[in-house]
Amino acid sequence: MKQSGFFDVEERLARLSGLGDQLEAFSRTVDFEAFRPDLDKTLAYSDGSKGGRPPFDPVLMFKILVIQTLNNLSDERTEYLINDRLSFMRFLGLGLSDRVPDAKTVWLFRERLTQAGAIDGLFNRFDATLRNAGYLPMSGQILDATLVAAPKQRNTNAEKADLRAGRIPEDWQDKPAKLSHKDRHARWTLKFTKAKRQDDGTMPSSDLAIPFFGYKSHVSI
């Protein structure tokens, strides 16, 4: 393995640009320095006269939040990937020898903006800048559903009609023990499943629809 040099890094970054580095496009589109006055006003860092390690540049930290939001990263994963990815380093203006904020520093910065009620305004402004430049900032959504089985009730047709109408069957009202064992909210539905290949190698013309009694649970992220 040959020893790496400065021009090797430059060549790799040039290749990333050729492949389409989204963060590089953002750097050309968004004037991040325009966010500095609002960040400085919100954070109100001291002038350093009392000593201690100086805080990271607020614009650098805001750009880290942009990376984190675009890639849906945890604080720990953000710290790791900034150290690992050349594209992240270039976007942040960091060199290989520069100090990188750790996960706790990222959390504290985001928490400070959140408590000040400033983070939504900053990102709305960032999104507006992208929209004005022709980009469409979007978030993703995951929607999933699962069926939860309920014991079959073996109700009569009259009892089923009462339940569909939202009524308690008259025969149940004087029998609390029986009522407690009856599920009045579960319903029948169809559970669709992919048809399996037959022994002769052919596929059925339609998928399977299996009657299912219970509940449908939805999760949206």
Side-chain angles (χ1 to χ4, degrees), residues 155-167 169:
N155 300 323
T156 65
N157 290 334
E159 290 171 340
K160 293 177 182 177
D162 285 337
L163 293 174
R164 283 193 294 267
R167 300 188 298 267

Side-chain angles (χ1 to χ4, degrees), residues 26-85:
F26 284 172
S27 294
R28 293 193 302 266
T29 304
V30 180
D31 178 15
F32 283 95
E33 280 298 319
F35 293 88
R36 185 178 296 278
D38 289 340
L39 289 168
D40 287 340
K41 181 179 179 180
T42 301
L43 298 169
Y45 287 140
S46 65
D47 58 7
S49 59
K50 296 182 179 180
R53 175 176 287 186
F56 283 96
D57 179 73
V59 175
L60 165 71
M61 296 301 299
F62 178 63
K63 292 170 79 172
I64 289 177
L65 296 189
V66 170
I67 287 177
Q68 192 174 44
T69 302
L70 289 173
N71 296 276
N72 193 27
L73 301 174
S74 67
D75 296 331
E76 290 74 16
R77 189 65 177 167
T78 299
E79 177 187 356
Y80 173 82
L81 289 178
I82 292 173
N83 282 280
D84 181 66
R85 289 191 180 180

Side-chain angles (χ1 to χ4, degrees), residues 194-204:
K194 290 291 183 182
K196 296 181 179 179
R197 189 177 299 276
Q198 303 298 309
D199 294 338
D200 59 2
T202 60
M203 289 293 293

Side-chain angles (χ1 to χ4, degrees), residues 4 38 130 168 201:
S4 61
D38 289 340
L130 293 182
I168 298 177

